[in-house]
Amino acid sequence: MKKAITLMIVMIINAIPVLNAQQLNPTGICYVEVNNNNLLNAGSYKLQTSGKYLFNVVNIFAANINYDSSRSRPYLYCNNNVTKVLTNADTYIKPLQAKGMKVVLTILGNHQGAGLCNFPTREAARDFAQQLAHTVNTYGLDGIDFDDEYSDYGQNGTGQPNASSFVMLVQELKALLPDKLITFYYFGPAASRLSWNGLRVGDYINYSWNAMYGTFSAPNVPPLTNAQISPAAVWMGNTSSSTTTSLATQTKNGGYGVFMWYDLHGTNETSQLSAGTQTLYGEQTVLSTPLQSWTQGANCDAPIGLFTGNLTGTGARLNWSAVGANTYDVDYKPAASTVWTNAVTATTATSVTLSGLAANTEYDWRIRTNCSVKSTYIFAPRFNSGSGAASPGSASLSLDGSTESGTAGNLNLSGSALSFEGWIKPSSFKSASPYISSLMGTEVGDSNSALLRLGDANIANNKLQFVLSINNVQQKLTAATALTANTWYHVAATYDGSTMKIYINGVLDASKSQTGPVNSSGAFNVGYSYSTSRNFNGKIDEVRIWKKALTQTEISQNMCNVTAPATSLAAYWKFNEGSGATVQDNSGNGVTLTLTGVDASNWGTDIPCTTAQQLSSTARTRKAAGLEETAAQEQIKLYPNPLSIPSPLIISVPEEYSKGKLTVYNFNGTVLETKTLNPGNNPYDFSGLKMGNYIIQFESQNGNLKQTEKLIVK
């Protein structure tokens, strides 16, 4: 069964909108399963005497929250039938709106681990809220309905439900859609996660209804009043007429303002509807127009794997993953604008380069697939064009150790593995107790922390310390090497569930055996912890957060640059802006670093990696006009090699190749397996092979690379 705001703002948010001139009391809510039924049938039912339409709000059931594991990003997915409804809004949506009805899109989990309740940060919640708002505005919808079912939290490495996620999502969505409906089907983990940090879901939604069909139970969503709640839940064809009448009687006697009907079919439903409306409104329900049949929509999925790179201040490259042998339409716009500009139509490519952008400006972009029909649009993470004041790779940020720092908002780093890395150039070390210079991390308390810093009360102020909360206790690992002021160092700290490690300049410096999950969820800061007395004094560059334990090979080979997208890369700040008070996230996850106390004097061109070093890490350079050319053709990487079974082999495919074919041979030349690989780090299970030598051949889809490597399995 389908299961510190001012008082004025709260009053505005909770005001029940006037839906139409013939508003019923109670308001009629209807769900239509568009996989099998025509949405237009909701407009066929009227009350016999007054001639009022029975349904005031019609829910399109349902679009989904899917999960793009290549980008670690929840995205809005529309199947073939939802796509048919939205892309033909003139046929299926506007006729209902012309009758005074509101048409709302229901959002439902899809067994992929993404749901309403596990957005790890406000930035992630905002990104999904922006996707929803763009969809509402693009297709002329009247709002969003949330249903927290079928998410299968934890799948695809996603997190479990947390307290802040649902509140942040509806708060961000209401800010984007202040005049639209937001409603909640009262079920699932979201029903028990309705408040956080003084904020309430009920402050940002208009209605909620009972999810248990055939029962009468009022959802508890403070501060919603009875006028905004449906305790009754009727499943058409499954709830008996006598029960429907009983539910209607209880609704009327209780003074409730909403009555919810689920699963309106394409057959005459006037008998069961009348069992409710006779009590609710004193009228029978009649058909005013013939019912319409439904033909399934054609399959056409929008591409995923969306990310933005090559930000130059006036230009950017938009990237996506191919969906079969189709073409794509791409549009973009400044975030503050409502007008989309077409970037390319019917392209077969998987990227497009924009030029002529305004510097330091937020932009949105969208893409759809052209099949025999058109897919719905999928909306990419918002990006900032950058300043253009410093060429890529030529800037770093200096912090004064007192008032200057950065915050990325709340990040959930809890789990069995993580890594921190970045470049630092200390100007000085703390000379007073507790002798701590905070580099990066979260520290809510002893039982909730993950951070990397210099010094501690009992260690030298110029030694790295890695701190993790495991089993409610802060576990600390101290480096053996003392750092020198005014010297660039690449520092990294990793945890794989069994060992904490510190690396300096790609070399293992210290390790400590430790088991148990990390507990870290809260404000993630750079150059600051919970006291400005612990602020870092020095320069910082190339900061990355990973939700995995990096290997020494990964650290040492990628100190100067990482090609995004990359598996488990949670946030990546290059500090290439060269000006301004924000640092953009190059991971594609939209985790912007907001700076405090900085001005133009904090930005400089003293950097740890020269252009030549960055090219050796990316094997790529660019022409002055912004076009790419290969300086030294980038190769795939295999690690570890030799490989010890049962560890998986990681095959790292450069971003520029889009995808390619992998072929595995034995030394006799026999093909053992072929497989398609995407950009990024691809795990490959060799546990079925015997010890020995093998040949690995990779051929890129565009034909630019054909590489052969020897693999030793032991």
Side-chain angles (χ1 to χ4, degrees):
M1 180 182 294
K2 191 180 79 71
K3 306 233 191 236
I5 301 171
T6 66
L7 178 61
M8 181 179 294
I9 293 175
V10 174
M11 291 173 64
I12 291 172
I13 289 173
N14 280 326
I16 303 174
V18 177
L19 297 177
N20 59 61
Q22 301 186 85
Q23 174 69 52
L24 295 178
N25 186 19
T27 296
I29 307 295
C30 172
Y31 281 87
V32 179
E33 294 243 26
V34 297
N35 282 344
N36 304 300
N37 303 293
N38 195 315
L39 191 74
L40 292 174
N41 291 330
S44 294
Y45 293 96
K46 283 186 173 183
L47 298 180
Q48 187 174 34
T49 304
S50 66
K52 294 180 180 179
Y53 288 104
L54 175 55
F55 304 118
N56 303 115
V57 180
V58 181
N59 289 322
I60 302 169
F61 189 82
N64 298 109
I65 309 178
N66 278 16
Y67 191 70
D68 180 357
S69 57
S70 71
R71 307 300 305 162
S72 300
R73 183 194 188 221
Y75 69 96
L76 182 64
Y77 172 75
C78 297
N79 71 9
N80 54 317
N81 293 301
V82 175
T83 294
K84 180 178 177 179
V85 172
L86 296 185
T87 57
N88 294 278
D90 288 348
T91 300
Y92 298 108
I93 296 174
K94 288 184 178 179
L96 296 178
Q97 293 171 328
K99 295 177 178 181
M101 302 176 189
K102 300 293 187 182
V103 180
V104 172
L105 182 64
T106 296
I107 310 301
L108 185 69
N110 200 20
H111 308 285
Q112 297 189 10
L116 310 179
C117 288
N118 63 345
F119 292 102
T121 65
R122 179 168 291 277
E123 288 73 16
R126 182 182 299 126
D127 174 50
F128 192 69
Q130 287 169 351
Q131 295 179 58
L132 297 178
H134 284 318
T135 300
V136 167
N137 292 329
T138 296
Y139 298 106
L141 296 166
D142 297 298
I144 293 293
D145 173 55
F146 289 117
D147 182 349
D148 193 20
E149 297 182 81
Y150 312 126
S151 293
D152 290 357
Y153 290 107
Q155 295 292 318
N156 291 312
T158 58
Q160 293 298 319
N162 62 65
S164 61
S165 176
F166 190 34
V167 177
M168 292 190 300
L169 176 61
V170 295
Q171 185 186 34
E172 293 291 338
L173 185 60
K174 179 57 73 173
L176 295 167
L177 299 175
D179 300 322
K180 301 291 186 178
L181 291 174
I182 304 177
T183 61
F184 176 42
Y185 182 90
Y186 189 75
F187 189 77
S192 61
R193 291 168 171 82
L194 299 177
S195 64
W196 169 73
N197 201 27
L199 303 175
R200 299 175 297 184
V201 166
D203 289 325
Y204 306 99
I205 69 174
N206 302 99
Y207 298 107
S208 182
W209 29 82
N210 177 20
M212 305 305 292
Y213 302 120
T215 70
F216 189 86
S217 178
N220 181 21
V221 189
L224 296 190
T225 66
N226 285 4
Q228 297 166 276
I229 288 174
S230 175
V234 175
W235 188 358
M236 303 299 297
N238 288 276
T239 303
S240 69
S241 292
S242 61
T243 299
T244 301
T245 300
S246 174
L247 295 174
T249 300
Q250 294 177 81
T251 296
K252 188 172 183 178
N253 292 342
Y256 290 97
V258 187
F259 197 87
M260 190 268 281
W261 310 83
Y262 170 69
D263 198 15
L264 187 73
H265 300 117
T267 55
N268 191 327
E269 307 272 20
T270 55
S271 177
Q272 183 172 7
L273 292 169
S274 294
T277 61
Q278 185 63 53
T279 299
L280 294 171
Y281 315 114
E283 299 185 50
Q284 297 290 310
T285 301
V286 296
L287 276 175
S288 62
T289 57
L291 296 173
Q292 300 190 42
S293 61
W294 180 246
T295 302
Q296 297 282 307
N299 287 311
C300 189
D301 287 344
I304 58 174
L306 280 56
F307 71 99
T308 306
N310 300 6
L311 302 172
T312 65
T314 59
R317 189 174 70 177
L318 316 181
N319 306 269
W320 60 91
S321 299
V323 182
N326 294 303
T327 64
Y328 311 97
D329 303 335
V330 181
D331 305 322
Y332 69 100
K333 68 177 185 65
S337 173
T338 60
V339 179
W340 293 92
T341 299
N342 180 250
V344 65
T345 299
T347 181
T348 59
T350 55
S351 68
V352 61
T353 299
L354 304 181
S355 60
L357 302 180
N360 286 321
T361 300
E362 299 285 314
Y363 280 89
D364 298 318
W365 64 279
R366 66 185 186 183
I367 184 171
R368 66 183 177 187
T369 306
N370 299 307
C371 310
S372 59
V373 296
K374 293 184 183 295
S375 74
T376 51
Y377 284 104
I378 184 171
F379 298 89
R382 182 166 288 174
F383 71 93
N384 188 290
S385 57
S387 68
S391 60
S394 62
S396 65
L397 182 71
S398 179
L399 302 174
D400 67 358
S402 177
T403 62
E404 300 166 351
S405 62
T407 180
N410 289 333
L411 290 183
N412 187 350
L413 301 179
S414 298
S416 60
L418 63 81
S419 299
F420 296 145
E421 63 172 330
W423 284 91
I424 63 170
K425 185 178 183 179
S427 297
S428 65
F429 305 99
K430 293 297 181 181
S431 57
S433 180
Y435 307 103
I436 289 173
S437 300
S438 300
L439 300 178
M440 66 187 79
T442 293
E443 189 170 16
V444 179
D446 287 355
S447 63
N448 182 357
S449 56
L451 63 147
L452 183 61
R453 65 193 185 190
L454 291 167
D456 197 356
N458 298 316
I459 68 170
N461 59 5
N462 60 349
K463 287 190 175 183
L464 285 167
Q465 187 177 69
F466 184 28
V467 183
L468 297 176
S469 290
I470 299 173
N471 302 321
N472 294 317
V473 176
Q474 281 194 338
Q475 303 295 337
K476 301 178 180 180
L477 171 64
T478 301
T481 301
L483 306 187
T484 302
N486 300 312
T487 301
W488 278 110
Y489 295 94
H490 183 272
V491 296
T494 71
Y495 180 62
D496 61 5
S498 62
T499 309
M500 298 170 65
K501 297 179 180 179
I502 289 176
Y503 296 86
I504 298 177
N505 292 335
V507 178
L508 180 63
D509 187 81
S511 65
K512 172 185 176 181
S513 295
Q514 181 64 53
T515 59
V518 173
N519 182 42
S520 174
S521 181
F524 189 96
N525 299 298
V526 173
Y528 166 83
S529 183
Y530 58 82
S531 170
T532 55
S533 66
R534 301 175 176 220
N535 279 20
F536 171 66
N537 184 8
K539 295 181 174 66
I540 195 161
D541 202 10
E542 285 284 321
V543 173
R544 307 172 201 137
I545 311 167
W546 302 80
K547 291 187 176 180
K548 70 172 185 177
L550 296 172
T551 66
Q552 184 168 6
T553 299
E554 290 175 303
I555 294 169
S556 62
Q557 292 186 357
N558 299 287
M559 291 190 295
C560 289
N561 188 63
V562 166
T563 301
T567 302
S568 301
L569 182 58
Y572 182 11
W573 301 296
K574 286 178 169 288
F575 295 93
N576 285 343
E577 283 75 6
S579 65
T582 58
V583 183
Q584 299 306 309
D585 175 20
N586 284 266
S587 75
N589 296 321
V591 188
T592 300
L593 189 68
T594 301
L595 304 177
T596 297
V598 305
D599 57 28
S601 65
N602 292 86
W603 295 95
T605 56
D606 178 10
I607 57 173
C609 296
T610 65
T611 302
Q613 288 172 318
Q614 293 198 11
L615 288 175
S616 68
S617 186
T618 64
R620 185 186 302 138
T621 189
R622 307 182 188 284
K623 294 179 181 178
L627 301 176
E628 292 185 359
E629 64 179 2
T630 300
Q633 189 176 49
E634 190 164 2
Q635 305 279 296
I636 67 165
K637 298 175 183 177
L638 312 178
Y639 53 90
N641 187 10
L643 175 69
S644 296
I645 299 297
S647 298
L649 177 72
I650 303 299
I651 305 174
S652 179
V653 178
E655 169 195 330
E656 66 186 71
Y657 296 122
S658 158
K659 64 170 56 177
K661 183 176 75 172
L662 178 81
T663 306
V664 181
Y665 300 83
N666 63 20
F667 255 47
N668 294 323
T670 302
V671 175
L672 302 180
E673 187 176 6
T674 60
K675 184 177 182 179
T676 298
L677 298 184
N678 292 316
N681 294 330
N682 297 265
Y684 192 108
D685 184 5
F686 271 85
S687 59
L689 298 181
K690 299 178 181 179
M691 291 187 295
N693 297 328
Y694 296 87
I695 299 297
I696 305 294
Q697 186 178 82
F698 175 83
E699 186 170 4
S700 64
Q701 187 180 49
N702 61 15
N704 289 346
L705 176 67
K706 187 171 184 179
Q707 180 181 343
T708 301
E709 297 287 343
K710 175 183 176 182
L711 174 68
I712 301 173
V713 177
K714 63 179 183 179

